[in-house]
Amino acid sequence: MQQVAHGDKQAFSVLYDAVASTVFGIVLRVVRDRAQSEEVAQEVMIDLWRQAARYRPEAGSVTSWVATIAHRRAVDRVRSAQAAADREQAQAARDHHTAFDEVSEQVETRLESEQVRRCMRGLTELQRQAVTLAYYRGLTYREVAEALRTPLPTIKTRMRDGLIRLRDCMGVTT
């Protein structure tokens, strides 16, 4: 390990041959995915090259030191993957919107339209004319009065009476 710490590539090659299968075995048991395990094992070997000077013989054998590094790195990978999955799931939950039921909306709109048409047929001809001009053509009371050549107070009365009849027919409560 001292030679590896001093950058001896031959010493690292010997270390690699001695511990690579142990590192991969530990990582594979924790990560459980071969491709990910190969990647993590490679990272562990790079760590060994970079951290060789940290090894202390009095703390344990090289094999146990390497096994500890491998296990920690594998656990880190699993935790990282789980955190990413949790973030994606949380984001998906935040982004989830209830699907808009277009068919139901169209049916409801059609039924409401039919009810309005039926209720409009229940108005007098004069009320229907005033309401149609105001609500379907967007005219003001004054413009409706001018279009029908009828005094403004009469138009307001026809509109009020017509809207009351529509409200009652539609079942709207105040």
Side-chain angles (χ1 to χ4, degrees), residues 10-27:
Q10 182 60 36
F12 180 73
S13 179
V14 171
L15 174 66
Y16 184 93
D17 291 342
V19 299
S21 61
T22 302
V23 167
F24 183 72
I26 291 168
V27 171

Side-chain angles (χ1 to χ4, degrees), residues 28-93:
L28 184 59
R29 276 192 299 275
V30 174
V31 176
R32 296 186 182 160
D33 175 77
R34 188 164 191 83
Q36 290 281 324
S37 296
E38 289 171 358
E39 189 175 311
V40 172
Q42 183 178 11
E43 291 170 5
V44 169
M45 297 311 293
I46 292 169
D47 283 348
L48 293 178
W49 174 256
R50 291 180 181 159
Q51 297 179 27
R54 291 181 150 183
Y55 171 69
R56 298 288 173 250
E58 62 276 1
S61 69
V62 171
T63 305
S64 63
W65 183 69
V66 169
T68 301
I69 292 172
H71 186 263
R72 286 180 183 163
R73 181 62 83 133
V75 168
D76 286 348
R77 176 61 64 98
V78 170
R79 286 180 180 156
S80 175
Q82 184 61 50
D86 291 348
R87 280 191 305 275
E88 288 177 16
Q89 187 175 8
Q91 184 64 39

Side-chain angles (χ1 to χ4, degrees), residues 89-110:
Q89 187 175 8
Q91 184 64 39
R94 284 190 300 273
D95 290 345
H96 177 72
H97 300 288
T98 304
F100 181 72
D101 187 352
E102 290 182 40
V103 173
S104 175
E105 184 71 19
Q106 289 173 355
V107 168
E108 189 174 321
T109 301
R110 195 169 294 144

Side-chain angles (χ1 to χ4, degrees), residues 120 123 126-138 144 148 158-163 166:
M120 287 289 286
L123 300 179
L126 297 173
Q127 289 171 338
R128 188 172 32 255
Q129 284 177 333
V131 169
T132 300
L133 289 172
Y135 286 92
Y136 291 106
R137 296 222 180 127
V144 171
L148 296 177
R158 286 180 190 170
M159 292 281 295
R160 185 194 71 227
D161 292 346
L163 291 174
L166 281 174

